[in-house]
Amino acid sequence: MRLIVLGAAAGGGFPQWNSNGAACRRARTGDPLARPRTQSGIAVSADGQRWTLLNASPDLRSQIVATPALWPQGAVRSSPITGVVLTNADVDAVAGLLHLRERQALSLWATPYVLGILAANPIFDVLQPEFVPRQSLEPGRSIQVDDGLWLEAFPVPGKVPLYREGNDLADGGASIGVRIAGGFGDTFFVPSCARITPDLKERLSGANLVLFEGTFWTDDEMIDSGASPKSGRRMGHVSVSGEDGVIAQLGDLGIARKVFIHVNNTNPMMLSDSAQRAQVVAAGWEVAQDGLELSI
Ligand code: MLT
Ligand code: MN
């Protein structure tokens, strides 16, 4: 299996358009230790010919341009992208669907909750159902997205998207993780997770590869940096550091390769020369960057 990180940053990307934080300033001036990153998503393929996207970020168009494996190889209108799986309905996970218009056949998979949000927003009808059938992804049921490529969704603690907060939609199915399987060890993609539960730890135990959310270093990061009055938890994201954090909670599970993705521009581990990056590396984690390819 091949897996390509199309984008490694959280919503807003790195640098974020309206951030004048020190890290974003470094990224804008070409500092090699503050490499820009686009908003998160990955592409997976069992055969290197047909690719499934996990999430469609607003940066998807430039991500495809930057990724030769996703360039058309056949007819005048064609694409190796055969499907898209959505793990939530945040803007940074779904807005890129709009780049996939142009009467191109592909399958779209999401939970009934996320499909409901797409259905309620007529702009997504630009992906006409005769070309892009919408298929329900039920947690716990494996789906075959291509020959040799199976995915299984599982619920993770999360929250409804920012733009749906405070209205009447239930949040079941608002955020899922995905197990990717197909003749190799298990790979997991969990780009958004509010809390690490015993159930989640059991699931990830012994995995070959885990791509896990690394949005915030600490829960108060946005508040302390003056970026926002919201805590990480309030935004549906567990922190990387701390007792309940990702490094501490997923450290002893025998996971062969651990990679952070969906990293926010306020998270100091984004910077290659930070003390926090050194801690991450010492703990056996990597911080993804755009274009990182993992062969499994
Ligand atoms: C998040 O991951 O918390 C969201 O992408 C935030 C947003 O919608 O900007
Ligand atoms: Mn996000």
Side-chain angles (χ1 to χ4, degrees), residues 10-12 39 88 90-93 159 161-163 191-192 213 215-216 235-237 262:
Q39 293 165 90
N88 61 66
D90 286 350
V91 170
D92 62 341
K159 71 164 189 64
L162 192 56
Y163 57 86
S192 197
E213 84 134 285
T215 313
F216 299 121
M235 295 178 71
H237 300 295
H262 193 278

Side-chain angles (χ1 to χ4, degrees), residues 25-229:
R25 288 203 302 272
R26 286 179 63 179
R28 277 188 200 104
T29 54
D31 182 335
L33 304 176
R35 285 177 66 162
R37 288 166 169 81
T38 61
Q39 293 165 90
S40 74
I42 64 172
V44 294
S45 175
D47 60 7
Q49 306 296 315
R50 286 163 303 173
W51 290 81
T52 297
L53 306 183
L54 277 73
N55 289 343
S57 99
D59 298 318
L60 183 57
R61 183 189 167 278
S62 60
Q63 292 168 347
I64 293 171
V65 169
T67 308
L70 301 183
W71 296 351
Q73 309 287 337
V76 65
R77 286 285 185 271
S78 60
S79 170
I81 298 169
T82 56
V84 182
V85 174
L86 302 174
T87 66
N88 61 66
D90 286 350
V91 170
D92 62 341
V94 303
L97 289 174
L98 302 177
H99 291 304
L100 301 176
R101 63 195 187 279
E102 320 290 8
R103 300 164 59 89
Q104 187 65 44
L106 50 93
S107 297
L108 178 56
W109 303 86
T111 62
Y113 173 83
V114 172
L115 291 178
I117 287 189
L118 300 183
N121 284 274
I123 195 169
F124 291 108
D125 295 343
V126 73
L127 301 177
Q128 300 126 293
E130 64 264 44
F131 296 103
V132 185
R134 297 180 188 184
Q135 305 187 62
S136 177
L137 192 55
E138 308 287 348
R141 194 164 57 85
S142 285
I143 54 163
Q144 184 170 16
V145 291
D146 251 325
D147 282 351
L149 190 63
W150 294 80
L151 304 183
E152 182 199 349
F154 53 91
V156 293
K159 71 164 189 64
V160 301
L162 192 56
Y163 57 86
R164 294 299 296 182
E165 284 183 9
N167 63 41
D168 57 3
L169 277 182
D171 71 354
S175 188
I176 57 166
V178 176
R179 181 173 73 92
I180 307 164
F184 41 81
D186 283 350
T187 290
F188 290 88
F189 179 61
V190 187
S192 197
C193 179
R195 213 172 55 253
I196 297 173
T197 62
D199 177 62
L200 181 59
K201 287 167 76 159
E202 195 181 320
R203 200 181 283 278
L204 302 182
S205 285
N208 238 4
L209 169 65
V210 172
L211 290 127
F212 204 85
E213 84 134 285
T215 313
F216 299 121
W217 182 256
T218 59
D219 196 47
D220 290 338
E221 182 175 312
M222 295 290 273
I223 301 167
D224 292 345
S225 65
S228 156

